[in-house]
Amino acid sequence: MRDGTRILVRPVRPEDEPLYGPFFAAVTPQDLRLRFFAPVKEFGHRFIARLTQIDYARAMAFRRDRGSDRAICSA
């Protein structure tokens, strides 16, 4: 990044599921609404599994982090 911070961009994997709870807790309700096109309040296993268990032949999802266990972005 411009400030010299190094980040890692990689495909989302099923073992990323535990990182999504803290990530969504830090996101504003407005961002969640824009991200999912609807207000979302519950982030249970089934919901997060849909985001982390990707069929890479049909779709792709990436995550960006600072090299720690803290996600800073998911697309």
Side-chain angles (χ1 to χ4, degrees), residues 16 22 26 38-39 48 54 59 61 69 73:
D16 293 328
I48 295 175
I54 307 295
D69 289 340
C73 179

Side-chain angles (χ1 to χ4, degrees), residues 5-67:
T5 303
R6 296 185 65 128
I7 60 169
L8 172 70
V9 177
R10 64 168 175 78
V12 171
R13 298 185 298 241
E15 56 267 21
D16 293 328
E17 183 176 340
L19 303 176
Y20 275 77
F23 173 73
F24 288 138
V27 175
T28 67
Q30 171 75 1
D31 185 40
L32 291 173
R33 186 181 63 78
L34 294 172
R35 184 178 300 264
F36 296 111
F37 303 107
V40 180
K41 296 179 177 151
E42 294 280 329
F43 298 102
H45 168 72
R46 292 182 75 191
F47 182 85
I48 295 175
R50 283 188 18 233
L51 302 175
T52 59
Q53 297 175 17
I54 307 295
D55 176 1
Y56 291 110
R58 298 181 320 138
M60 182 59 75
F62 294 98
R63 59 172 274 125
R64 182 180 88 174
D65 57 40
R66 292 186 180 120

